Amino acid sequence: MITIRLPYRQSPSLELGKARQALPSLAELRAEAPLLLLGALFGLLYLPQPTSIGECLAAVDWHTLKSLAAMLLIVSGIRQSHLLDLLGRRIILQLRTERSLGLALVLFTAGSAAFLTNDIALFVTVPLALCLQGLVANEISGKLIALLAIAANVGSFLTPIGNPQNLFLWHQWGISFGQFVLNMLPAWGICLGILLLWTALAFPQETLKPAALESPAVHWPLGGISLGLLALYILLTEQGLENWALGLALGIYAIWPRVLRRTDWRLLLMVALMFIDLHLAAQLRPIQRLLTSVHPQGIPLFLLGVSLSQLISNVPAAILLGRLSHHWRLIA
């Protein structure tokens, strides 16, 4: 008997199911949307006026990018050590009322955002808020998360390492760390005071039911080395030695490859594309005429910054305004 083996073909439904799994989910597309948008904008700006790749790369502020890369590595190390999770849980276990919980988490978010960027601060405090909501009968998560988002932005603008736009301004004008903080301190104090008052009014003095939070497993060597690296990073970057800061961070975190894997490298690519896109946009004649005719100062510069940050987000707004004006404090 001769057996004839026909090639196996999956049913159309199985093939369709695999195809669907291969396609990115809606959540993944949303996460990649800013990067895809910047890439598409690069294509639109590059095609009408093709320039050399070298010129595009020269438009990138590599000092800012290297400093940001080192900062992202250190923040990734601190986050994965779970030191912040432990600190946050210990603070929460000492609280008794909704108001004290709201004020403590808002202050904790603002403080951590000043040194660990606004995104990382929210990565720690938002899960804590959601975890607490499941452990208490009080309805706290909705208004608390909104206030934490504001606290992260308020806290981050105090220091030059609180967010990427401050990091750019810090390098662009060669400001010392202390000078930057002192210049931002009055506005930061006013904003933080308003936020704390708002938080106190939003949360009543209602007693919280006891919440038993499990203490996270802290990786003490990773956390201690990361905190030491953070202090060293500030000193090296202030002296213009960002190459040393980045090399040191890469060398140390090679011991913990997961820190390298879980660092948000997409943010570096996004910031690089922002520099290139804005450089290409500035070559367009209408934009050139606008840049040469507009020299905003004072209140007009402040209002222009507020408007642009709503339209094109904070980092490209800071880069664009850096071309128009030298008033870095107003831009920040």
Side-chain angles (χ1 to χ4, degrees):
M1 179 183 291
I2 298 175
T3 303
I4 298 176
R5 295 183 179 274
L6 296 174
Y8 171 74
R9 288 193 63 188
Q10 291 181 332
S11 67
S13 59
L14 284 174
E15 292 179 356
L16 183 59
K18 286 190 174 182
R20 285 176 176 171
Q21 289 178 355
L23 291 173
S25 67
L26 184 59
E28 289 171 335
L29 285 174
R30 284 176 178 170
E32 300 294 341
L35 185 57
L36 294 173
L37 183 62
L38 287 167
L41 184 60
F42 168 74
L44 290 173
L45 292 170
Y46 184 81
L47 289 175
Q49 43 170 4
T51 54
S52 66
I53 297 299
E55 185 180 337
C56 290
L57 294 176
V60 178
D61 187 332
W62 292 104
H63 296 290
T64 298
L65 215 64
K66 286 182 283 189
S67 296
L68 182 59
M71 187 65 195
L72 289 173
L73 281 165
I74 295 168
V75 164
S76 179
I78 292 173
R79 183 185 174 196
Q80 291 176 58
S81 72
H82 298 295
L83 275 177
L84 286 178
D85 301 75
L86 178 66
L87 178 60
R89 281 165 171 79
R90 287 188 175 178
I91 291 172
I92 288 169
L93 288 173
Q94 305 302 316
L95 305 175
R96 295 290 179 268
T97 66
E98 284 190 29
R99 182 171 296 166
S100 62
L101 172 65
L103 289 170
L105 276 180
V106 163
L107 278 172
F108 178 68
T109 303
S112 56
F115 295 96
L116 299 174
T117 75
N118 44 8
D119 292 341
I120 298 303
L122 287 176
F123 286 151
V124 174
T125 52
V126 169
L128 279 176
L130 294 173
C131 176
L132 275 174
Q133 183 59 78
L135 296 172
V136 296
N138 315 63
E139 177 55 46
I140 57 171
S141 63
K143 52 189 173 184
L144 182 56
I145 289 173
L147 288 166
L148 294 181
I150 299 170
N153 284 291
V154 168
S156 70
F157 83 75
L158 174 64
T159 68
I161 60 173
N163 51 51
Q165 62 267 25
N166 280 8
L167 195 62
F168 164 73
L169 295 171
W170 187 30
H171 282 288
Q172 185 78 359
W173 277 278
I175 314 152
S176 72
F177 191 95
Q179 183 187 359
F180 192 101
V181 171
L182 286 175
N183 274 275
M184 301 306 294
L185 195 59
W188 178 83
I190 292 170
C191 291
L192 184 62
I194 294 171
L195 177 60
L196 291 176
L197 177 61
W198 186 5
T199 304
L201 294 173
F203 289 97
Q205 278 285 67
E206 189 172 333
T207 303
L208 287 170
K209 292 184 179 180
L213 294 175
E214 293 184 7
S215 183
V218 177
H219 194 309
W220 292 105
L222 177 58
I225 289 173
S226 296
L227 289 176
L229 267 177
L230 178 62
L232 192 57
Y233 161 82
I234 294 172
L235 293 175
L236 288 173
T237 306
E238 192 166 24
Q239 298 302 317
L241 301 174
E242 57 277 346
N243 288 335
W244 283 90
L246 178 57
L248 196 59
L250 285 170
I252 288 176
Y253 287 126
I255 304 170
W256 295 287
R258 73 176 187 274
V259 175
L260 298 175
R261 287 196 307 268
R262 297 179 184 177
T263 299
D264 189 6
W265 300 112
R266 290 176 306 174
L267 182 59
L268 283 180
L269 183 55
M270 286 172 58
V271 173
L273 279 172
M274 287 177 191
F275 280 112
I276 295 171
D277 287 351
L278 288 171
H279 170 73
L280 292 174
Q283 307 307 311
L284 299 173
R285 288 184 181 178
I287 302 295
Q288 283 183 341
R289 285 196 293 267
L290 178 65
L291 292 177
T292 54
S293 63
V294 176
H295 299 283
Q297 297 182 10
I299 295 298
L301 174 63
F302 177 78
L303 294 177
L304 181 60
V306 171
S307 304
L308 281 176
S309 63
Q310 301 304 312
L311 295 172
I312 61 174
S313 85
N314 305 9
V315 180
I319 296 170
L320 182 59
L321 289 175
R323 291 173 171 269
L324 298 177
S325 172
H326 296 290
H327 295 277
W328 69 265
R329 184 170 62 173
L330 272 179
I331 298 172

